[in-house]
Amino acid sequence: MTTELTEARKLDGKVVAEAIRASLVPRIERFLSSVGRPPGLGIVLAGDDGGSEIYVRNKVQSCEALGVFAELKRVGKESSVDEVLALVEDFNRDDAIDGVLVQSPLPVGMGQGAEQRVFDAIDPKKDVDGFHPVNAGRLAQKRSGMAPGTPSGVIELLDRSGIAIEGRRAVVIGRSDIVGKPMAMLLLHRNATVTICHSRTTDLAAVASEADIVIAAIGRPGFVTRDFVKPGATVIDVGTTRMTNRAEVASLFGQDSPRLEVIERRGATTVGDVHPDVAQVAGALTPVPGGVGPLTIVMLLSNTVHAAERRRDP
């Protein structure tokens, strides 16, 4: 067992996020001066999921700290999908709202396909999550539009960390519509040679070990071991799994890991998809937490400012 990030270069998402946040300040000030109001973000929160409550609170606080107006509307877990759609339509019509976000997941009781119905109802020009099929299509065709925050944040992290993308071989582990697929598209648009892997990829470790850049977004703690990584490769860990079992965390990170103290103090620790031993072979590696996570929210803010500017000057 090794100490986390003892050898690989640490890619600090907090530092990059702060730089992006600073670059948004003059744009927000120009918009406020020109339009007479700040950029506005409308957020819909359905149900009482604890994780969603935390994510939304962080998003609202981030908006307020940067000078972006945030309006939060809630519906209970027993509400219907039609009630959520009505709130989305209110935000679509509101001229003071430039971006619309519906926090996922929606309550199970809303039925299968509810999230897709809701995402499809958002005005594509206000779709700051980039989930609307119009924006997904524009991304696939390398046309201007909204790209999801996490993949966009990964590109910013690579660029601002001086890691080359063009001509490199990249492997994306995970094929979700939110991270895996748009991540592959963004890398492809930057002239990387991209392979998408998933749970049914034959000899996944061998495929990944040929890559210069590995993006892990599969949602399985410690799944990506050193066998997946070519010496010197850049490894981006998108995974965020909440672990509460002390023995499981100790088996993954070692009996001396500070994560055990975090569990004792908070009852849980957030871990990624990449095993800590990868630090012995990778050239650069993102920590969890503190790697990709801080970039997701700041890219949401960036998309909101961009949407506001485009609505003002289409």
Side-chain angles (χ1 to χ4, degrees):
M1 189 59 59
T2 61
T3 304
E4 297 169 69
L5 300 179
T6 53
E7 296 180 24
R9 172 188 171 196
K10 177 182 175 181
L11 301 180
D12 194 334
K14 294 179 181 178
V15 171
V16 173
E18 188 54 43
I20 296 171
R21 192 174 286 107
S23 73
L24 293 176
V25 171
R27 293 170 60 188
I28 294 170
E29 291 175 346
R30 284 195 298 270
F31 185 87
L32 177 60
S33 175
S34 174
V35 180
R37 65 167 179 84
L41 175 64
I43 304 173
V44 178
L45 176 59
D48 55 5
D49 180 79
S52 293
E53 290 278 356
I54 294 172
Y55 294 144
V56 167
R57 182 170 66 246
N58 290 340
K59 289 169 183 175
V60 171
Q61 290 175 348
S62 296
C63 285
E64 292 174 346
L66 199 59
V68 172
F69 169 69
E71 182 176 355
L72 172 61
K73 294 186 177 183
R74 296 171 174 267
V75 295
K77 65 179 181 180
E78 304 300 330
S79 303
S80 69
V81 67
D82 288 335
E83 291 177 79
V84 176
L85 290 170
L87 294 180
V88 168
E89 187 54 37
D90 287 344
F91 280 142
N92 283 344
R93 291 194 300 262
D94 191 339
D95 194 52
I97 296 297
D98 302 292
V100 179
L101 177 155
V102 178
Q103 183 63 42
S104 177
L106 294 177
V108 176
M110 290 190 179
Q112 187 175 8
E115 288 192 357
Q116 195 61 65
R117 286 182 61 192
V118 169
F119 294 151
D120 288 357
I122 297 172
D123 181 344
K125 294 179 180 178
K126 296 187 176 187
D127 171 37
V128 290
D129 266 336
F131 296 162
H132 192 283
V134 167
N135 285 320
R138 295 183 72 87
L139 175 60
Q141 294 183 354
K142 199 180 178 182
R143 299 168 68 183
S144 63
M146 298 291 183
T150 299
S152 299
V154 170
I155 295 295
E156 288 283 350
L157 181 62
L158 293 172
D159 282 345
R160 292 171 184 258
S161 300
I163 294 171
I165 299 174
E166 183 170 347
R168 300 300 193 266
R169 299 190 67 176
V171 163
V172 179
I173 305 175
R175 53 180 168 177
S176 72
D177 292 336
I178 295 173
V179 178
K181 292 176 186 176
M183 186 77 257
M185 286 294 101
L186 290 173
L187 289 166
L188 187 63
H189 296 336
R190 293 291 301 274
N191 299 318
T193 298
V194 184
T195 301
I196 302 178
C197 294
H198 44 78
S199 60
R200 299 192 181 183
T201 299
T202 301
D203 204 357
L204 197 160
V207 176
S209 66
E210 296 180 353
D212 304 298
I213 301 171
V214 177
I215 314 287
I218 201 168
R220 296 174 61 179
F223 178 80
V224 175
T225 62
R226 59 188 300 162
D227 295 337
F228 285 64
V229 180
K230 179 173 71 173
T234 295
V235 181
I236 306 296
D237 192 348
V238 181
T240 52
T241 300
R242 188 172 180 268
M243 294 185 71
T244 58
N245 187 301
R246 191 182 191 283
E248 291 178 356
V249 173
S251 69
L252 190 60
F253 294 97
Q255 293 292 342
D256 297 327
S257 173
R259 291 177 180 271
L260 299 179
E261 189 274 331
V262 173
I263 286 184
E264 296 293 337
R265 183 161 41 89
R266 300 182 179 176
T269 184
T270 301
V271 305
D273 292 346
V274 177
H275 194 282
D277 282 351
V278 167
Q280 293 182 326
V281 293
L285 176 62
T286 56
V288 176
V292 175
L295 293 162
T296 300
I297 290 181
V298 79
M299 294 311 297
L300 168 69
L301 295 171
S302 179
N303 277 352
T304 301
V305 174
H306 178 61
E309 292 169 339
R310 287 188 64 190
R311 292 183 68 236
R312 180 193 62 186
D313 300 312

